[in-house]
Amino acid sequence: MSTWGKRDDMVVHQREPFNAEPPRTALAGRRTTPLDAFYGRNHGPVPGVDPGAWRLTVDGLVRNPLELSLEQLRDRFEEVEVAATLQCAGNRRAELIEVRDIPGEAPWGSGAVGTARWSGVRLADVLAHAGLRPGAAHIAFAAPDVSQDADPPQPYGGSIPTEKALRPEVLLAWAMDGRQLPRIHGAPLRVVVPGWIGARSVKWLTRITARAEPSGNYFQATAYRLLPADADPDRAGPGAGVSLGPLALNCDILSPDDGAHLPPGPILVTGYALAGDDQTVSRVEVSADGGASWTEADLDPGDGPWTWRHWHTTVDLPQGEVEVTARAWDATGAGQPESPATLWNPKGYANNSQPRIRLNPRS
């Protein structure tokens, strides 16, 4: 095992803070992602939090401010479990970098995505206990991990609209796949916001604040915003661009791996598809000739409305190099953009273009 109990073959983009993803094939066929293969995305050193001394503060536009220990959270509120897929906003950034360089950003491949069963309490139940006041349109989260990305450095934070925060799928989670939440994934308590970019599922949660406006934290106001292609990210201040929230429809090929050497003939192609927020995946198609013809893939049922759906199909590989492409649709009939070139942005976020791999004839 490598750092933080992860697989030895993790692709480590940065060791401090720890940022790493598994090879894409480690995710193939696994509806729940093994803990040792679950990606890590951090903006500062992982904080050391004493669970016994830890307290959660709930304040802001509430009638009854709260300070809760982990034991009080367990005792006062119903424990629930939600299966949810988390995906980093920078997942598949490497494909955008191939279009045009994105200086200063990690070249995330296809592995910054993972699915787990999260256990904890509904954020809505805690907010109901605190009693939201009129005008509480946003719920902000604060954590102790300090990031050097901000100038001056500041602890990580973010927010979501109250409308989303009150949805029953949004959790304050203390367990992951039936086990105590690992420190690298946010122990003792983290937020899980299904259907939204992973950046809003704040780890090592210490404070929840009801606000009239979105969080002013750097990672809400300045980072994780979709800038125009001609923007200079070093000059973009708070409020520039579009704040990222719900995930875009996405799918990817997990097996075989890009560049694999395979003989001509039938091969099994597998992957996943994920629809953001309230949408569902309705269809996935695969092409083995660069998009000239398509075969509909079989979709597994998934583990709930907030998880990816794995798919598979068999295609015939011709002689020579082959380009395999996939594309998904959601229940509204929306599909994926054909090319990452149309999605390029100066931070490399939200690449949901049709994935492509190249396979080579076995020598």
Side-chain angles (χ1 to χ4, degrees):
M1 290 290 179
S2 62
T3 308
W4 299 107
K6 298 300 180 182
R7 297 165 55 110
D8 290 332
D9 60 355
M10 293 287 279
V11 179
V12 179
H13 298 293
Q14 193 175 8
R15 295 198 176 276
E16 188 64 59
F18 181 69
N19 287 289
E21 63 181 303
R24 74 169 76 208
T25 53
L27 303 177
R30 297 179 180 271
R31 286 162 61 167
T32 300
T33 306
L35 184 58
D36 67 350
F38 210 102
Y39 77 97
R41 175 66 175 110
N42 299 289
H43 299 82
V46 175
V49 181
D50 177 2
W54 173 89
R55 295 294 184 272
L56 174 66
T57 299
V58 184
D59 61 9
L61 295 175
V62 296
R63 296 184 178 88
N64 306 302
L66 305 174
E67 185 172 274
L68 300 165
S69 67
L70 199 59
E71 182 179 2
Q72 288 171 324
L73 273 173
R74 291 178 180 272
D75 290 344
R76 295 185 187 182
F77 303 99
E78 178 189 8
E79 181 174 355
V80 295
E81 181 183 84
V82 172
T85 300
L86 298 187
Q87 179 176 277
C88 176
N91 191 46
R92 299 181 59 201
R93 179 183 285 137
E95 297 166 44
L96 298 179
I97 292 175
E98 290 179 4
V99 174
R100 178 179 164 191
D101 193 25
I102 304 175
E105 298 293 339
W108 290 94
S110 301
V113 59
T115 299
R117 292 185 173 275
W118 310 92
S119 299
V121 299
R122 298 181 187 92
L123 174 58
D125 291 349
V126 174
L127 294 176
H129 195 67
L132 291 176
R133 290 184 179 276
H138 299 269
I139 306 300
F141 310 116
D145 51 320
V146 176
S147 174
Q148 301 296 318
D149 294 345
D151 185 16
Q154 66 174 259
Y156 189 83
S159 63
I160 59 175
T162 299
E163 181 182 10
K164 177 65 176 181
L166 296 179
R167 294 288 300 266
E169 69 272 8
V170 180
L171 297 189
L172 305 179
W174 56 64
M176 184 177 182
D177 293 331
R179 295 181 289 178
Q180 179 179 324
L181 193 65
R183 182 180 164 200
I184 187 63
H185 291 296
L189 193 77
R190 71 171 297 163
V191 188
V192 174
V193 186
W196 281 49
I197 63 168
R200 306 305 178 217
S201 292
V202 175
K203 301 190 288 288
W204 311 291
L205 183 68
T206 57
R207 185 179 296 271
I208 298 171
T209 302
R211 298 168 48 100
E213 302 293 336
S215 169
N217 186 276
Y218 170 82
F219 291 98
Q220 182 75 41
T222 304
Y224 290 108
R225 303 185 73 89
L226 193 66
L227 300 174
D230 59 353
D232 180 352
D234 293 330
R235 296 178 178 272
V242 178
S243 180
L244 294 170
L247 290 168
L249 170 71
N250 213 337
C251 88
D252 204 1
I253 299 167
L254 297 178
S255 179
D257 203 359
D258 187 35
H261 292 265
L262 298 170
I267 64 155
L268 180 67
V269 180
T270 70
Y272 75 85
L274 176 65
D277 210 10
D278 293 331
Q279 299 304 323
T280 56
V281 175
S282 61
R283 187 167 85 247
V284 172
E285 293 179 346
V286 179
S287 171
D289 51 19
S293 61
W294 297 87
T295 300
E296 185 168 355
D298 294 317
L299 277 166
D300 79 16
D303 289 323
W306 307 108
T307 66
W308 57 14
R309 296 182 68 181
H310 282 267
W311 53 262
H312 65 274
T313 191
T314 299
V315 299
D316 282 315
L317 294 186
Q319 295 281 350
E321 185 178 88
V322 177
E323 182 181 80
V324 178
T325 310
R327 61 186 183 185
W329 285 265
D330 66 22
T332 70
Q336 294 178 265
E338 184 175 347
S339 168
T342 63
L343 299 172
W344 190 94
N345 61 90
K347 297 291 284 184
Y349 292 140
N351 178 20
N352 72 326
S353 62
Q354 296 174 13
R356 301 168 189 273
I357 62 170
R358 285 180 169 80
L359 304 177
N360 300 296
R362 181 179 291 168
S363 55

